[in-house]
Amino acid sequence: MAAPARGTTPRRRPGLRGWSGLGGGAQPYLDPAPEWRGTTVQVCGLWPFGAGSGTPTKGVPLGRDLHSGATVCCDPISWFQRAGLISNPSAFVLGQPGLGKSTVIRRMALGLAGYGVHPLIFGDLKPDYVDLIRALGGQVITLGRGRGNLNILDPGEALSAADRLTGEARRALLADAHGRRLNAVSGLITILRREPPTDREETLLAAALDVLDERHDGVPVLGDLLRVVKDAPEPMRTAALDRGSIDRYRDITERLESSLAGLLGRGRLGDTFAHPTTEPMRLDAPVCFDVSSIDDSEVMLQAAALLSCWSYGFGAVAAAHALSDAGLEPERRYFLVLDELWRVLRASSGLVERVDVLTRVNRTRGVGMAMVTHTMRDLLALPTEEDRQKASGFVERAGMVITAGQPRSEMPRLAQVVDLSQIEQQRITEWSTPPGWDTSDAAVDPPGRGNFLIKVGGRSGIAMHVDLTPSELAVNDTNKRWHARAGSTAPGPVEGGPSSVGQA
């Protein structure tokens, strides 16, 4: 250091312990600073140079982190297969209407399609996904009264696939197809009766399907199944335990005959499921079953359509993977979407069991799945405790839970199956706040539209906002009828511009 110039007074500086001298306040003794040792997770808030880890970068870019602004990448297949962040390639999505549930699923489906994964929408009631599937060059299958049929006894690709297989693979595929058809018929009877068929009736249905497989040429329909029950062949009488009395057999099968007759077009479910399948499902492209023509007042028909689409679709996926396992077809990945789950569960007691059987997709099959409903109340408002426990298992088994805004009353129910901190609960309830009382012409989005919390186990949730690109807005407008009535077909103010999500 250079010496001070001659004739100047050196600048005084405090010592290491303060200013010395009278009134200086120097501290003769310094207490040592307290020290603790801990992991970066435990003491990150105390360590001055601590910084949180970045958001996951593997998967479909969903939006931006609400705290850091970083891009959040997330989808159940990538987080399971590539990142190893979840142990089950599935997601359960919750949220109040209008906050973007279907939009976040559409973003996942669009991104996964870019990765070579085929989105499969098993029942679109609004419709929310038809435009997206068409934009991806996929197949849209229309079902409804007078618009298309889905034969629930149609094994789809299972029969043709079984003809190409041998040995145990063939037997396993046929047994899987048999079980799915039995579950589908039992499910429709459950919806029709509002109670499940008895054990004896299910045994009779299984025997009738065996008789059809052995004696019927081509693909049978429900009318053929009813005819087998009426004809009383020996396998049916043995299953009925009629003790050699045809009158006893008629008494045992009378109610079953009545229920099957109600599925042939003369009952509340119409003939949608009683005729040959109008359009078979493809396995090499995105697919959407459009059931939006079924009115919301036909609750039972909606539930039956969804359940039938799920059964048919899962069977087709099983056939595709059986062929790929045998080296006869290329390996394909699928992203299955089960939207409006609550409509099926509420249709009748006992349907939870049917859905539970359908949705237990083995993770080794290369299938990701997303189930969508509004609130936990939809799952826990079922009539029996057994159904409620099984419905809660849908959420507990999911690899990730994605929730949009929820009312405060839902927090205790959601906290039973998802580990939520008080701050996370407060954030979710704030997102359910309605928009302000704006009387101007400009529509105001709800403050929580597009905001989601991603939860995986006990980890802290990732709060994010979904941003749509301009090219996505055309396939995310779910209020087209309102725009058409206003004299415009362009996306209206419900979208809020390129930075907002569409209503779900």
Side-chain angles (χ1 to χ4, degrees):
M1 179 182 295
R6 183 176 299 179
T8 61
T9 302
R11 179 181 300 174
R12 292 185 60 200
R13 296 181 181 276
L16 295 177
R17 299 192 178 189
W19 294 97
S20 60
L22 185 63
Q27 179 67 20
Y29 176 80
L30 296 179
D31 293 324
E35 296 182 10
W36 291 272
R37 178 177 294 181
T39 66
T40 53
V41 174
Q42 294 169 317
V43 300
C44 61
L46 300 176
W47 177 244
F49 305 109
S53 61
T55 56
T57 57
K58 292 184 178 179
V60 176
L62 286 189
R64 51 183 170 81
D65 190 292
L66 289 177
H67 301 293
S68 65
T71 300
V72 176
C73 299
C74 174
D75 69 81
I77 294 180
S78 300
W79 276 26
F80 170 76
Q81 181 184 20
R82 298 165 55 198
L85 295 174
I86 56 178
S87 58
N88 183 8
S90 62
F92 202 99
V93 183
L94 297 154
Q96 292 287 85
L99 296 183
K101 297 187 307 299
S102 297
T103 297
V104 75
I105 296 298
R106 281 192 294 266
R107 167 61 67 85
M108 284 186 184
L110 179 61
L112 286 171
Y115 293 149
V117 178
H118 295 312
L120 303 179
I121 317 300
F122 291 158
D124 190 357
L125 284 168
K126 293 186 178 179
D128 284 334
Y129 306 93
V130 167
D131 290 342
L132 173 64
I133 298 303
R134 284 181 175 147
L136 292 174
Q139 178 189 25
V140 176
I141 301 174
T142 303
L143 300 176
R145 296 184 187 274
R147 286 178 168 79
N149 300 101
L150 179 62
N151 177 17
I152 62 170
L153 296 185
D154 186 355
E157 295 292 326
L159 283 184
S160 59
D163 292 339
R164 302 171 61 185
L165 299 172
T166 59
E168 183 60 31
R170 184 177 188 275
R171 287 191 294 271
L173 181 59
L174 290 177
D176 179 79
H178 182 278
R180 292 187 187 279
R181 289 186 296 166
L182 174 60
N183 186 64
V185 176
S186 298
L188 291 188
I189 292 176
T190 300
I191 294 173
L192 190 66
R193 294 181 180 176
R194 294 191 176 275
E195 64 178 15
T198 64
D199 293 342
R200 172 177 282 184
E201 288 175 328
E202 290 211 353
T203 302
L204 289 168
L205 287 173
L209 287 173
D210 288 335
V211 172
L212 279 178
D213 291 340
E214 293 176 3
R215 306 180 183 180
H216 187 82
D217 293 331
V219 179
V221 294
L222 281 174
D224 300 317
L225 184 66
L226 177 59
R227 191 172 301 109
V228 169
V229 176
K230 289 182 176 181
D231 291 345
E234 188 58 32
M236 293 294 296
R237 298 188 64 173
T238 301
L241 299 175
D242 66 353
R243 313 298 185 192
S245 170
I246 190 63
D247 292 334
R248 175 179 167 84
Y249 175 84
R250 299 299 182 197
D251 291 338
I252 292 172
T253 59
E254 180 179 6
R255 193 173 183 223
L256 181 60
E257 285 187 29
S258 176
S259 296
L260 290 175
L263 298 175
L264 298 181
R266 295 181 289 273
R268 285 169 289 182
L269 300 186
D271 61 351
T272 304
F273 316 105
H275 296 293
T277 300
T278 306
E279 184 177 356
M281 171 183 163
R282 293 172 55 187
L283 297 176
D284 58 350
V287 177
C288 174
F289 288 87
D290 180 11
V291 294
S292 60
S293 63
I294 302 176
D295 191 80
D296 286 343
S297 63
E298 298 187 281
V299 177
M300 295 175 61
L301 182 56
Q302 283 187 340
L306 291 177
L307 191 67
S308 300
C309 291
W310 297 352
S311 178
Y312 182 84
F314 278 119
V317 171
H321 286 301
L323 291 175
S324 64
D325 291 342
L328 300 175
E329 291 287 343
E331 183 70 30
R332 295 186 177 97
R333 298 283 184 266
Y334 298 101
F335 178 52
L336 315 183
V337 178
L338 308 184
D339 208 342
E340 300 291 334
L341 184 66
W342 65 275
R343 293 183 185 269
V344 175
L345 300 183
R346 287 189 181 182
S348 175
S349 175
L351 281 179
V352 178
E353 178 68 29
R354 309 293 170 190
V355 177
D356 187 59
V357 171
L358 285 174
T359 56
R360 287 184 179 270
V361 179
N362 195 317
R363 61 188 176 189
T364 60
R365 290 184 176 178
V367 172
M369 184 167 59
M371 292 183 283
V372 187
T373 191
H374 293 140
T375 64
M376 287 298 298
R377 188 194 302 270
D378 298 335
L379 307 180
L380 300 179
L382 300 174
T384 66
E385 180 62 25
E386 182 182 5
D387 283 351
R388 289 192 289 270
Q389 292 296 330
K390 289 180 180 179
S392 297
F394 296 155
V395 186
E396 294 169 351
R397 289 200 309 268
M400 66 176 72
V401 176
I402 303 176
T403 178
Q406 297 278 348
R408 189 175 302 277
S409 60
E410 281 297 312
M411 290 303 100
R413 301 184 185 94
L414 186 58
Q416 290 179 1
V417 292
V418 181
D419 188 9
L420 294 172
S421 67
Q422 290 296 324
I423 295 178
E424 289 172 340
Q425 293 185 35
Q426 181 180 357
R427 179 181 292 122
I428 293 172
T429 56
E430 289 174 351
W431 291 343
S432 66
T433 304
W437 298 102
D438 191 350
T439 58
S440 64
D441 292 337
V444 179
D445 287 344
R449 177 174 290 177
N451 292 342
F452 296 91
L453 184 72
I454 304 173
K455 290 289 294 186
V456 175
R459 298 176 181 173
S460 297
I462 301 175
M464 64 151 194
H465 180 80
V466 177
D467 294 315
L468 296 182
T469 62
S471 58
E472 287 180 284
L473 291 178
V475 296
N476 278 274
D477 183 13
T478 57
N479 291 286
K480 289 181 178 179
R481 288 189 178 275
W482 291 99
H483 307 324
R485 290 176 182 177
S488 171
T489 58
V494 73
E495 297 295 346
S499 63
S500 299
V501 302
Q503 184 168 341

